[in-house]
Amino acid sequence: MVDQDNRRYAFLSATFLSKQYKSIPDETLDNAIFFFGAKRSWLFPTNREEMLEARSQPSKYLEFDDDFKSLVLQKKERGLVFWLLPDKSYSNASKFIEAITDPVSKENYRPLILDEDWWLTRFNSKDAKFCKDARSITGNFKQGDFDYDPVMELLYQSNPTLVPTLYWAES
């Protein structure tokens, strides 16, 4: 049985998190992983080109409040923030996850399951929590996309004690 109180949350959307982080308990937020499908430069542009690119995004990253941006930087210093873009590499995402200790098992998290054959032959959609379509999940990580449900299922199947989260109210 998984100790529900020790599980670590993985927040997937910088936009959604920026709107709700103040309502999340400090301990949960402090322990959480930020696993974003965005570019770091969209929140923290360092030149005019990055500023223009950030402004062109549907999310208004440059308008996120300073406290939230500070939180992201603090979490980054602790190795708890991952940006999928620009590399679109789930291999890098797996290395990121594997470097973090699971507070439940006290061991590092397992690698992300990036084996297409596993998803197509061993994945049991009856055990799915977020996405039942194995092809959607494999297509997502093979293309470097960041569709929320497939990413959440990938994280969950790879490490069931990790809690992929979009909206805090739903967790």
Side-chain angles (χ1 to χ4, degrees), residues 6-170:
N6 285 337
R7 296 180 309 156
R8 186 188 304 266
Y9 288 79
F11 290 95
L12 273 66
S13 170
T15 302
F16 295 150
L17 184 57
S18 73
K19 295 174 183 174
Q20 56 189 335
Y21 78 99
K22 291 179 181 176
S23 67
I24 299 170
D26 289 342
E27 184 177 332
T28 299
L29 203 55
D30 185 58
N31 196 38
I33 293 170
F34 294 173
F35 192 85
F36 298 147
K39 283 185 180 180
R40 183 187 190 283
S41 62
W42 293 348
L43 267 78
F44 308 104
T46 59
N47 58 45
R48 186 175 188 280
E49 181 180 309
E50 290 177 351
M51 180 78 70
L52 292 172
E53 183 182 26
R55 283 191 182 135
S56 74
Q57 299 308 309
S59 292
K60 299 190 181 323
Y61 293 104
L62 300 177
E63 295 177 13
F64 290 178
D65 71 47
D66 289 341
D67 287 342
F68 177 72
K69 289 180 181 181
S70 178
L71 172 65
V72 173
L73 291 173
Q74 290 168 16
K75 303 279 293 172
K76 179 64 178 168
E77 286 179 20
R78 294 176 46 215
L80 296 174
V81 179
F82 181 79
W83 307 93
L84 185 64
L85 297 179
D87 296 336
K88 295 185 170 189
S89 171
Y90 278 89
S91 292
N92 288 344
S94 186
K95 291 174 189 168
F96 164 77
I97 292 290
E98 292 172 69
I100 300 171
T101 302
D102 177 351
V104 175
S105 71
K106 308 295 187 224
E107 297 177 5
N108 284 19
Y109 286 110
R110 294 187 306 257
L112 296 179
I113 302 169
L114 302 177
D115 177 2
E116 183 176 15
D117 186 59
W118 184 92
W119 287 99
L120 299 177
T121 62
R122 295 180 49 205
F123 172 60
N124 185 347
S125 63
K126 292 177 187 163
D127 296 331
K129 190 167 183 178
F130 304 100
C131 180
K132 295 181 180 298
D133 182 6
R135 291 200 183 282
S136 176
I137 297 163
T138 60
N140 197 65
F141 68 70
K142 285 172 57 181
Q143 298 297 319
D145 292 337
F146 201 82
D147 296 330
Y148 292 127
D149 289 344
V151 170
M152 292 168 73
E153 193 65 38
L154 172 65
L155 290 171
Y156 174 73
Q157 291 296 327
S158 301
N159 290 286
T161 60
L162 193 59
V163 184
T165 305
L166 259 186
Y167 305 102
W168 177 247
E170 291 181 2

